[in-house]
Amino acid sequence: MAETDFKFERFEEYYGDITQVKKIMDCCKICGSKMIQTHLADYKNFLVQETARCPECGNGNRKTIHILN
């Protein structure tokens, strides 16, 4: 996968109670720090592009497309 590729969000990725889901979405999988997230909305196509990276360990560049219904 190229560095600029985004993956589409799938709700199957999120499991557990609300605390677990928030941790999956907000925390670095390597060091556990809070990720910095940026969002770019495309309201014409009902999409939001999200990028996330960890300021502590540099892990990241998670790129996700959220579909707005």
Side-chain angles (χ1 to χ4, degrees):
M1 189 185 298
E3 186 175 323
T4 58
D5 287 348
F6 284 80
K7 73 175 191 108
F8 283 89
E9 178 182 45
R10 296 178 349 160
F11 292 111
E12 294 84 13
E13 299 173 27
Y14 308 122
Y15 51 87
D17 61 8
I18 187 67
T19 305
Q20 181 67 25
V21 171
K22 285 175 79 173
K23 184 176 178 182
I24 292 169
M25 294 174 79
D26 295 338
C27 296
C28 176
K29 292 180 182 177
I30 304 295
C31 70
S33 296
K34 188 163 176 83
M35 303 280 277
I36 295 175
Q37 300 176 353
T38 58
H39 298 89
L40 177 64
D42 179 357
Y43 296 112
K44 183 177 180 182
N45 294 308
F46 298 106
L47 301 174
V48 174
Q49 292 180 356
E50 174 187 271
T51 57
R53 69 174 182 81
C54 179
E56 297 297 321
C57 71
N59 179 47
N61 291 337
R62 180 179 73 203
K63 297 178 179 187
T64 309
I65 301 264
H66 302 278
I67 299 172
L68 304 174
N69 294 347

